[in-house]
Amino acid sequence: MSFTNKPNFILLFMIFSTLIFLAFSLDLSNVPAESPTLDREEPLSKGRKNVVIRNKVKNKEVLNVHCKSTKDDLGLVHIPWNDTWGFKFHVNLWRTTEYHCHFTWYKGGSHYFSIFKVSRDDTVIGKYPICTVCIWEVGSDDKNPMCRIPLFEKEKTYCFKWEDGP
Ligand SMILES: *[C@@H]1O[C@H](CO)[C@@H](O)[C@H](O)[C@H]1NC(C)=O
């Protein structure tokens, strides 16, 4: 064998590039197989939240809700009695995501509430459990009209007052 054995070199090159191509195509074929895992809980979908609001006002009127974060204005929505409306978002990297809502209904007045805040709804060693689907019932009680309802039966309901300010 001599150094000028060109066909051998070309053959080696072809084998080598075929291997690279195979590795590359295997890698590509992995992409669709892997993407469902991205939709599961950990780790990339971490911070994904779903807030649901159910109208439970005592006089069975339509509940008008206007929710905003510093980034997002979800507009004014009208929720018929015992109906729900909801929205989805991600908690940002700095964990400062917060959604505030304004609630009004006929003869119900005008009220404010933070429908999502990290300190209450997304803190591991917090006073309340973390919710991923955060279901709120509005207006069934006069004193504590905002109730976070559990997704699973064994968990507890937590009720809060309006945050109307002084
Ligand atoms: C309110 O809605 C829930 C869930 O859809 C339903 O199970 C319940 O029967 C409704 N209540 C009334 C009083 O319509």
Side-chain angles (χ1 to χ4, degrees), residues 54 56 60 81-83:
R54 181 180 290 273
K56 281 288 179 184
K60 304 194 176 180
W81 187 78
N82 200 33
D83 212 340

Side-chain angles (χ1 to χ4, degrees), residues 43-147:
L44 277 174
S45 65
K46 209 163 180 277
R48 179 182 292 176
K49 299 292 176 187
N50 187 358
V51 165
V52 177
I53 299 170
R54 181 180 290 273
N55 176 3
K56 281 288 179 184
V57 300
K58 279 184 163 173
N59 61 4
K60 304 194 176 180
E61 291 290 337
V62 171
L63 179 66
N64 309 300
V65 182
H66 192 169
C67 299
K68 294 181 198 185
S69 71
T70 50
K71 239 179 67 188
D72 251 348
D73 186 331
L74 302 175
L76 178 63
V77 295
H78 307 284
I79 311 173
W81 187 78
N82 200 33
D83 212 340
T84 60
W85 170 78
F87 59 97
K88 292 176 183 176
F89 59 96
H90 276 88
V91 176
N92 66 24
L93 218 53
W94 302 271
R95 301 178 53 74
T96 54
T97 305
E98 216 167 299
Y99 278 87
H100 301 276
C101 303
H102 181 219
F103 297 88
T104 61
W105 67 100
Y106 181 67
K107 290 187 172 169
S110 162
H111 303 284
Y112 291 90
F113 192 76
S114 299
I115 205 80
F116 181 84
K117 53 182 175 187
V118 168
S119 62
R120 184 192 58 215
D121 304 311
D122 200 38
T123 301
V124 177
I125 317 169
K127 197 170 171 190
Y128 308 103
I130 289 175
C131 58
T132 303
V133 181
C134 308
I135 307 163
W136 290 90
E137 283 190 357
V138 183
S140 60
D141 185 72
D142 289 330
K143 205 161 169 256
N144 296 294
M146 291 300 300
C147 293

